[in-house]
Every structure is written in structure tokens, then in C-alpha cells.
Amino acid sequence: MSHGGEADRPEDPSEHFEGYKIGSPEYRRISISLFLAGLATFALLYDTQPVLPQIGAHFGLRPDQAALSVSVSTLGLAVALLAVGPYSEVHGRTRIIFASLFMAGLVAIGVGLAPTWEVMLMLRLLQGLSVAGLPAVAMAYLSEEVHDSAQARAAGLYIGGTALGGMTGRLGVSGLAEVVGWRGGLIGMGVVALLCAVAVWRWLPRSRGFIAGESGLRNLAKQTSSIMHDKVLLGLFFIAAAGMGSFVGVFNIMGYRLEAPPYNYSVGVVGLIFLVYALGSYASAYAGKMAGKWGQRSVAPWAVTVMIVGLLLTLATPIWLIILGLAIFTSGFFATHGVASGWVAARARAGVGATGQASSGYMFFYYFGSSVFGALAGTFWHAMQWPGVVLMAGVLLFMLLGVTLILKRIKPLGAR
């Protein structure tokens, strides 16, 4: 049995590989490896989020300025995805994942040691560039290595793993910050990420379903044109931007809200709000299961509706209602993202091909939305406090709901 350190190789045309089925040892190794990879990637990408007030106080920044430490990282990731996705179509998936994880862990340690705000921003940009490997190729890897009967479930489980990863990272940083300060929290997550990278390198199975595509700018332009002419893929890209933009905007500012009067909670206590990510993990896996049964078109509008209900509940003043709203909002977001990201890979595989490029395009818009609206939420908070943040996120979500209803009316490829 070979370990994940082996290079990708194209599938032998004489060997018909149908993909690993649920319950097989390889499927379990994929599930564990991508969970750990998701934990490391999404912990590092957002590890400054729970300590934004502390970073702002240390460097003398406004909330919208401090939020740039999240936005520049996601912007760097968005840009990198445009190159990593097409590169993976020719050179394979797993080596990209390994290199990305190791580099991101090293840069994360540097972020915790950054002497100035400007250096921190530069390193956060580099961190975003370095973590691009996993989100660029994970869905393409799953679509190639997992049996068709398990596609929707595998996508839901992967997104659920990223939800738990994001929760673990944020809780870890906020908990460490309570004891050793925000710098110690960031450095600690960098060390954890390196340990995860070693485990993924050892356990992730090499690709068997990957078939190298054509290289060259002409082929890249052809595939890009095909993707951008697919109305369903364009709609899913909008879902990525609007959904993630509203989600990150809400969580970027929630720390400021709960550390201010009348709540006055400490950074460690505020970090506990990320426990709601556990519900997001379950919701993503459940939505994937439902999508496998009823189809993505039917599930997506309901998932967005759940987000809207949760967002509106956060307008309440009692803390228990705020937490309930965040839990519902988070569940809806990860259900939406799990369904949409799996839908992209399935749509591309059935139509335009280039699953890696289509998936990286989805993730580009996902993180572009995070960068733009995550920072814009700080401006709305500064002008209108929490109702302003809800207004921004609510407009995005109602537009998103409209798009899902339009996509529901478009027939699947091959349907009569």
C-alpha cells in the first residue's frame, strides 16, 4: 500500500477505475486526510479573525483596518486559485496539496512574529497565496477518486471537515491568546498546521482517476471560455461570492459586538461562538446526503433560506438569541456551500470538463467575496453598528436566494 507522498500519475486507459466506495480503507484515508488538510488550511486562513480586536489595539487600527488581515489573505488565495486550478489539470492534484500545506504552516509562524502591521499584511498575503493548493483541487480530487454513488456525500463530508477545521483554528487561537497572547496563538496554529501536513503526506492516497489534460494557453483559454458560457456555473460562482461574503462579514464583526457594552466578553469567551461551526459540519454532511437524494437544485434554496432566518435572529439583544441565530446562520451557510461546491464539480465533469479549473473558479469567487464583503462589513459596522452589518449581509442573501431559484429551473445536462 503506497502512501500519499507518491506523485500523481495518469490513469492507465486499460484499467477502469470507478472510484473508492464508502467503507473502503482508501475512502477512510481520503476522509481523514482531507479533514486534516481542511483543518490546517481554514484554521490558518482565518486565524487572525478571533483576535482582530487585540491586533487592532496593538497596532492602533480601526475595525475595518484590522479586518484587512483576513481580507488580504483571502484575496491572495483568490488570485492564486486562478493559476493553481489550471496547473493541476496538467500536473496532478496531490503534490499541490502537500506543498501548499507545508508552506502555509511555515508562513503562519512568521505572521505571529511580524514586527509591524505592514509586515503582517505582507505575510498574510503570502499566506493566502500558499494555502491555495487544497481549495483549488480538493473537489476535483474527490470527483476523480470517489465512486459516483458517493460524490454528493463526499463533498458534504469534506466541507463539513473544513467547518470543523475553521472552528478548531479559531477556538485554538482565541484560547491560546487568553494564556500567551495573540502572537502565541498564531504561532501555535502554525505548528499544528505543519503536523497536519506531515499526516496528510503520509496518508492521502495518490491519484488513480486523474487523467492529465492538455497544456498551453490556447487550451486554457478554451476551457475558460466554456466555463464562463455555462449559466449554471456562473450562477454557482455568484452563490460562492455572496454566501461567503455575508458569512465572513458577520463573523468578522461579531467579536467587536460581543467585546463591547453591554456584553463586555473577553477574547476567550468570544472565541466560543465558533463552536457553532460544529453544527455547520453536520449541516453540510446532511445537505450533501439530501442533495444525493433530491438533487442540488432542490436543496440549495432551502439552505439559503436557513441562512436568512439565522441572520435576522442576530438582530436580537439577548445573547442566547444571538448564539441561536449564529448557529442557524452557520448551518445554512455550510449546507449552501457544500451543495454548491459539489454541484460545480459534477456540472463540469458532465459538461465542459476541466473539473479542477471549474472548482478553482468557484473558489476564486468564494474568496473574492470574502475579501470584499469581509472588509466592507467593517465599514457598515462603523456607520450603523450591527444593523448595518445585517443589512449588508441580508441584501447579499436575498440576491443569492433569487439565483438559486433561477438555477432550479435550468435542466441538468443530459435531461430531456
Side-chain angles (χ1 to χ4, degrees):
M1 180 175 67
S2 59
H3 63 71
E6 294 181 343
D8 292 321
R9 63 169 176 83
E11 180 187 6
D12 184 344
S14 65
E15 176 188 337
H16 182 60
F17 177 63
E18 295 183 343
Y20 300 117
K21 296 183 178 181
I22 296 173
S24 68
E26 293 83 2
Y27 183 90
R28 287 192 292 270
R29 287 169 59 200
I30 289 173
S31 299
I32 294 172
S33 297
L34 289 186
F35 168 80
L36 292 175
L39 186 151
T41 297
F42 290 90
L44 296 184
L45 190 62
Y46 295 105
D47 62 355
T48 61
Q49 192 177 58
V51 290
L52 286 179
Q54 288 69 41
I55 292 174
H58 181 84
F59 292 114
L61 307 170
R62 299 191 310 270
D64 55 333
Q65 293 173 320
L68 287 175
S69 68
V70 177
S71 294
V72 297
S73 183
T74 53
L75 181 62
L77 171 55
V79 172
L81 287 169
L82 296 178
V84 176
Y87 180 86
S88 75
E89 299 287 5
V90 179
H91 300 283
R93 320 294 188 192
T94 57
R95 286 178 294 182
I96 292 174
I97 294 175
F98 304 145
S100 174
L101 291 175
F102 279 108
M103 183 178 297
L106 293 174
V107 175
I109 295 174
V111 171
L113 298 172
T116 67
W117 172 239
E118 292 74 18
V119 171
M120 173 175 278
L121 280 184
M122 290 177 60
L123 288 172
R124 286 291 291 170
L125 178 63
L126 180 59
Q127 193 166 2
L129 294 170
S130 64
V131 300
L134 180 72
V137 306
M139 297 310 300
Y141 175 85
L142 285 174
S143 71
E144 294 161 353
E145 306 305 319
V146 174
H147 192 270
D148 288 346
S149 64
Q151 286 292 315
R153 174 181 276 192
L157 288 173
Y158 163 65
I159 298 301
T162 65
L164 285 179
M167 179 191 75
T168 303
R170 290 163 168 89
L171 287 175
V173 170
S174 60
L176 286 171
E178 192 85 359
V179 179
V180 296
W182 63 268
R183 289 189 183 275
L186 297 179
I187 293 171
M189 287 314 304
V191 173
V192 170
L194 288 176
L195 294 175
C196 289
V198 172
V200 172
W201 178 76
R202 291 292 301 169
W203 294 337
L204 185 66
R206 60 179 172 80
S207 293
R208 290 186 60 192
F210 171 73
I211 300 176
E214 298 179 21
S215 60
L217 292 177
R218 178 176 297 181
N219 185 63
L220 175 61
K222 179 181 178 181
Q223 291 177 336
T224 301
S225 178
S226 297
I227 290 170
M228 299 308 291
H229 280 85
D230 188 310
K231 293 180 180 179
V232 171
L233 289 177
L234 290 178
L236 293 170
F237 293 165
F238 178 81
I239 290 174
M244 185 58 163
S246 62
F247 183 72
V248 170
V250 165
F251 275 94
N252 273 358
I253 304 304
M254 185 56 74
Y256 286 99
R257 183 187 184 189
L258 296 184
E259 291 185 28
Y263 306 104
N264 297 313
Y265 295 130
S266 69
V267 60
V269 173
V270 171
L272 294 176
I273 65 174
F274 295 106
L275 284 170
V276 299
Y277 273 51
L279 293 175
S281 178
Y282 170 79
S284 177
Y286 181 76
K289 183 178 179 180
M290 291 299 99
K293 183 177 182 180
W294 302 107
Q296 291 99 336
R297 286 169 170 75
S298 298
V299 177
W302 288 106
V304 177
T305 301
V306 171
M307 284 190 76
I308 293 172
V309 171
L311 176 68
L312 294 177
L313 279 176
T314 65
L315 287 169
T317 300
I319 187 62
W320 70 270
L321 272 177
I322 294 175
I323 299 302
L324 176 63
L326 285 176
I328 295 172
F329 177 71
T330 300
S331 298
F333 168 72
F334 281 105
T336 302
H337 177 40
V339 169
S341 58
W343 192 351
V344 167
R347 177 80 179 185
R349 193 176 187 187
V352 302
T355 54
Q357 189 173 342
S359 294
S360 65
Y362 172 88
M363 298 307 297
F364 167 79
F365 284 98
Y366 183 84
Y367 290 111
F368 180 79
S370 171
S371 300
V372 173
F373 297 111
L376 190 60
T379 302
F380 276 86
W381 165 259
H382 186 71
M384 302 171 61
Q385 297 297 293
W386 190 250
V389 177
V390 173
L391 174 64
M392 183 205 77
V395 169
L396 290 174
L397 292 182
F398 276 104
M399 292 172 64
L400 195 161
L401 179 61
V403 170
T404 62
L405 293 174
I406 292 172
L407 293 182
K408 186 178 180 180
R409 301 175 62 182
I410 300 177
K411 292 182 179 180
L413 292 173
R416 297 182 180 180

